[in-house]
Amino acid sequence: MNDDERNQWCFACGVKNPIGLKLTFAEEGDKYVARFTAGPEHQSYDGIVHGGIVGTLLDEIMARYPYRKGLNSVTARLEIRYRQPTPVGQELTVTGWVVRERGRIYEMAGEVALADGTVTAEGKATVMITGKA
């Protein structure tokens, strides 16, 4: 089974997961980017994306970026700062980038932003490389 077949059930990016977020990714310079519009099924309070979904977006963009570079990785530590409520029904841009590499450890940063550039959440992650993808 190849990587594409193995990862089709990923909650964040798997195309076969009927309740997944189905994120797709692109490199834009030295950053990794996904776009996502949350629906009512992703909310906590009326009109606000659940914080766990926002956390999932940040975790995925940061831990998956090394995978794009041919490395398997897992999140060792995740820190999220919620700056303001993230609204349902608006396109979000989720961006991740490498802050520092130290052997098998990558320090990553990420953010969730609205179309006007307003950042609703920021993340920091320590990601451990577990091998080649």
Side-chain angles (χ1 to χ4, degrees):
M1 186 180 319
N2 67 35
D3 286 338
D4 291 336
E5 292 168 341
R6 272 197 337 243
N7 295 317
Q8 289 186 7
W9 286 93
C10 173
F11 175 71
C13 65
V15 296
K16 285 190 174 181
N17 190 327
I19 63 166
L21 304 180
K22 296 183 179 43
L23 299 175
T24 58
F25 305 90
E27 283 187 87
E28 294 182 7
D30 61 349
K31 297 188 176 179
Y32 204 41
V33 178
R35 289 179 175 70
F36 177 72
T37 302
E41 67 276 16
H42 302 116
Q43 72 181 11
S44 56
Y45 298 111
D46 187 39
I48 298 171
V49 180
H50 191 283
I53 297 295
V54 173
T56 298
L57 294 171
L58 287 167
D59 181 41
E60 187 71 7
I61 202 74
M62 291 185 289
R64 196 173 194 286
Y65 194 30
Y67 182 77
R68 173 75 170 212
K69 303 295 187 183
L71 303 168
N72 284 326
S73 62
V74 294
T75 303
R77 182 178 189 160
L78 177 63
E79 180 182 328
I80 302 167
R81 179 172 182 222
Y82 298 95
R83 298 180 60 89
Q84 69 179 51
T86 301
V88 169
Q90 292 187 31
E91 185 178 70
L92 306 172
T93 300
V94 187
T95 307
W97 60 92
V98 177
V99 174
R100 186 171 145 189
E101 295 177 42
R102 293 182 329 224
R104 292 181 34 203
I105 302 296
Y106 278 44
E107 292 178 23
M108 305 294 295
E111 65 182 26
V112 175
L114 303 176
D116 68 3
T118 301
V119 175
T120 65
E122 299 170 324
K124 295 179 183 177
T126 301
V127 175
M128 185 174 70
I129 305 305
T130 60
K132 299 233 184 244

